[in-house]
Amino acid sequence: MNRFGILRQGLQAATILLSIMISPNMDRSVFNEDVIESIIALMRVHLVNHIIPSLSCTGHTASFASMDVCCDDETPQEEDKEEKEEETAAAPRKKQKVTKKKAKKLEKEETASPQILIKLLKKVYMGISSTVGLLTNLIERIDFLIHAVSVDDQPLLSICASALSSLTIDPAVGSGASRENTSHTHAVQMACVSLVTTIFRKHPKHRIVILEDLFPLLLKIPTSKRSMRTFPVRLFIKASRVSSVYGKKSSSGPCRVVTPHGGLRGDGQDFIQVITVLILSMIQACVTMPYSRSCQDKDETNARRLSSGLAECERTCKIFTTLLVQRCSKKGEEGGASEFRPILSNLVDDLLLVQLLPQFPSAEMLLLEICRKLCDDLVANSAVGNGKRTISSEPTYLTTAMDTVGTICSDTAAKISLARENPLVFAEEVDVDALNKGADPSSDSAEVNRCSCGRTTLVDTFMLDCDRCHNWFHGSCVGIAKDKLPDVWICDECTMQIMVVDQMKVFCAKNNDKESSFGKSQGKLDLSQDDKVHIMRVLLLNFLIHQEKLSDSTFSCNSRKFHLARFVKDINTDRKSSEGNVFSNVDLIQSQLLDMWDLQIDSDHGVFSQNYQRCEYLSDEGNAKLMLTLNASKSQLVASFPQLLGVIVALMGDENNVSLRKLAVKALSQIVQTDSSLMAQRSVREAATKRFNDEAISVREAAVSLVGFYVLQTPEAAKAFHIPLLLRLNDEGISVRKRVIKIFKDLISVNPSYPERAAVLMMLLARASDKKEDDGVRDLIYETFSTLWFATSDDVDRVHSSAAIVTPLRDTTSSRMNFVRDTARQMIEVITISSASKHLANLVQDMLNGQGEKSEEKKASQRKIDRVAAEKHCAKIVACLVEELVVFEENRDNLSQKEAGQQLVSILTTLHVFAEASPSLLLGHYDNLLHYLKAENGVPLTSESSIVIQVCRILSHLSPCLSSLNIQQLLHGEISKDLVRIAYKFGMLAAGAAVECLVKLATHQESERHNPLMTALMKLVRTFYTHLLKMKNTAQDL
């Protein structure tokens, strides 16, 4: 413990010395280079050799390695000498016997020694961890020292290397990892990040070296889920990609968007990698103050321009991106590529997560640079543009590049869509007179709940009253706790309106414009989009100033300066378009922004405010919307989105590279999943449809998946892609056919009234009846019809049980009957457009025989249960078909003869399908069909013939199931006369069906030998025989 005391005293002494050196107005003679080098050496040794192993709980591995090294370092000569000495010493001695008990003891000691070492080192770790606070203080003083004095290059690089090594700490690897250990790790890493950022900012000549040192470090950072992302960030809006190909959009709401897990993400905490924080911090540290320069525009008038303060930031982004992409694009045998590609994906995920946070404005710049670099490589690997491939990269790298570009574009599309749904709303007109008057606190009659969450009925919770408009808001939504109530609180909308007037006062004061239009205004001010952007920038800067005061860190300062430099650059770019705005004095706005550059934060109010008694920034919810709206209107990444989308669409048409076409289609599908409105663009829609006829099966499948997701999200657009999708059911690719079947299944399930459903179902039946069809495709078709037509009562209940509201039993029963009724109507529609009912008959037969999806994998008992359930369900369908027949008879006066004939034939043909598959299903309904045998249905002759044919066939299939009572009822009727009349009146098909029916009924086992049916049959036979005999004699005479 004495050594720990000496270590603590040394750290304290070093901290005191540095505090003295960096004191203001200190004499230069105090700066002793030897002392500074010793302090740096102390920091580096303690950090690398003590803190990092103790926080990672890996000191024992170093001890074992050192023991192995000591054993391996012995030279062969020394080993020979030792062996000879042992031999000579052991020669005169007798061999000692080793008992079993002693051998076990020795073995136990050998195995226990590592465990004892680990146990002892844990005690050492506790002592070392107690010095973390002293070390972070020392690192902060070194940070201030680098700010104050010039340090040699060698110590600087040594400091930087040791500080970067702290990012490899993995507090989760040790079994004794605790929350305290994690907090120590975070403190050390944040101090080291600040130190490296300072070196990066103060010494531009070392920037490339520091960036190159990052990449070996990237391979050593923790990769486990628990320890990879440890830097906390607070999110209020999270726009993310939808991972499910057929995921459904959630209901829209304020500040909500679909997350990868399918839920809604609002206020919450997330985590990113510390290495991401370091990269963004270094980029933001390169910002410089824009300086004034004169230039002459095209109109030959001198205009005051400001240089871009982001030039070095952009250069740093380009260097880092180039180095990272170079390592990702290496060939497999060169090594490193497979390790760096996941690093790129993790980095992009972090950047997308923090893009809307005010503290990380450089995330967008880095994302844009990554997109540009990857797009350049993708285009270079294709024949797009010049018609030649300039480079040939590894397919795995192209996959990573396209997936990354698709991920970034998908997230950008999601944020654009979210900004449209949840904008930061300004009042259309600002009532100047009303703003200059205090609101009447006694006017409680107008107080309402106007919280942005939309939960107007939630009142039994802590709420705040705006001191200006007297509307109520939930405390949790505006980020104010019950025990931390401010004296005065104003809602976001009132804050924005007041800020408009304050800004006008600032402009009038700086222009000395006492007679301005604002001063004279007695009415209302109309704000343009640029005016609103200016107000949002002011509110954002006020919030950053507030955060900078709370944190007092260079990171917050650099974030604010980065925003300032970007605002100045945007104002210079949009100089001409700002004419006619309320805040149209560009030079005055630039001057106002530059006055903030070296601002001293010493007050509780924003620098743009004319009233110091109120908060001049928005709530957390308001700031989230503010960043979202600014991102959608002024973001370079958003502005570049059409070009990035154009690159992806162009790569879809590269006829020389199949893999690129496939990757491009998948990337576009990823984007469309977040914003399906993009498919409304003609170029996107045509490019997707063109890939339906691609020569590669994988590309066709990807294109079908893309269009499938779109039509499921936008059912009204399904008609435009119906024919291309339907043609793909005959595609030679099995995977393509399967994908189309799934799409149509989901489309009809979601939209049962889909107008083209009959054609789809007919085509599916034809595919299922094709003997050459793949078994997997046939099973999928069976699954589709099992869901659409043959779902049992339990399946229907399972669908409805997912609803948020539990319906009464009668409603459930009604839903079942509606499902069966819809099934019957769909079958009739299929028969109407298809003259052949064979395919439907085969399907019904297979379902009744238990030969549906994966029937071979089921047990015999389960197949029997399925057959019984299918029989009951088909009985309900038959009952609905008979009901449709009754409804038809009631409404046939509204139909023409042709329409009535077609509809009646379709219903009877569908009934014949079930009679052929299972005759017993129609046993209780055949008497409803007998009157159709009279052929007096008032329809055209062709339809009349088809009607009697179907009824005759139904009775023929049904005859074996008829009882003696049924036969007696038929004998006493006029069925024999009707069948004979059909044989004489209609053609061969009708005559054959009638004769077959008459034979089966006349020869039924329950019929008497001499019955009216047999008499009519024999009379018909004699008539036909006589006619045939005459025809024979006539033929012989000729």
Side-chain angles (χ1 to χ4, degrees), residues 151-197:
V151 182
D152 293 339
D153 294 344
Q154 190 61 34
L156 278 177
L157 295 177
S158 176
I159 292 171
C160 192
S162 57
L164 288 175
S165 63
S166 67
L167 301 182
T168 62
I169 299 175
D170 187 357
V173 297
S175 59
S178 63
R179 183 175 299 179
E180 183 181 3
N181 201 17
T182 304
S183 63
H184 286 163
T185 301
H186 181 74
V188 171
Q189 289 180 338
M190 289 302 98
C192 292
V193 166
S194 178
L195 180 59
V196 174
T197 303

Side-chain angles (χ1 to χ4, degrees), residues 371-387:
C371 265
R372 287 172 176 171
K373 180 62 179 174
L374 294 178
C375 284
D376 290 343
D377 286 355
L378 290 171
V379 172
N381 278 273
S382 70
V384 175
N386 56 7

Side-chain angles (χ1 to χ4, degrees), residues 668 672 675-681 684-685 688 706-707 710 721:
L668 181 60
V672 170
D675 187 3
S676 57
S677 64
L678 294 173
M679 281 294 288
Q681 298 182 14
V684 177
R685 188 170 60 251
L706 165 62
V707 173
Y710 174 62
F721 296 96

Side-chain angles (χ1 to χ4, degrees), residues 222-294:
T223 56
S224 64
K225 291 184 178 180
R226 290 181 57 191
S227 54
M228 182 172 67
R229 291 180 168 88
T230 58
F231 185 84
V233 291
R234 193 179 183 191
L235 303 177
F236 287 86
I237 294 181
K238 181 179 179 182
S240 303
R241 289 87 60 200
V242 183
S243 60
S244 174
V245 176
Y246 298 115
K248 298 180 182 178
K249 286 186 176 179
S250 301
S251 59
S252 60
C255 296
R256 293 177 178 179
V257 71
V258 179
T259 62
H261 303 289
L264 294 174
R265 183 62 180 266
D267 182 9
Q269 192 177 55
D270 217 316
F271 296 88
I272 62 173
Q273 301 174 100
V274 178
I275 191 70
T276 304
V277 179
L278 174 62
I279 294 169
L280 296 178
S281 179
M282 290 192 299
I283 294 173
Q284 291 169 190
C286 298
V287 66
T288 58
M289 182 175 180
Y291 59 89
S292 177
R293 56 189 176 88
S294 279

Side-chain angles (χ1 to χ4, degrees), residues 418-430:
L418 188 60
R420 289 197 300 263
E421 299 173 1
N422 302 277
L424 187 66
V425 179
F426 280 76
E428 293 184 1
E429 293 178 327
V430 178

Side-chain angles (χ1 to χ4, degrees), residues 537-555:
R537 287 169 175 169
V538 170
L539 292 169
L540 176 60
L541 291 173
N542 281 346
F543 171 74
L544 291 171
I545 290 170
H546 172 70
Q547 293 295 318
E548 189 175 344
K549 180 190 174 187
L550 294 178
S551 62
D552 192 21
S553 65
T554 56
F555 181 80

Side-chain angles (χ1 to χ4, degrees), residues 962-965 967-968 971 1001 1003-1008 1011:
L962 295 176
S963 63
S964 58
L965 180 61
I967 292 296
Q968 291 300 322
L971 291 176
L1001 292 176
T1003 59
H1004 192 275
Q1005 58 182 0
E1006 298 293 339
S1007 301
E1008 297 178 359
N1011 56 69

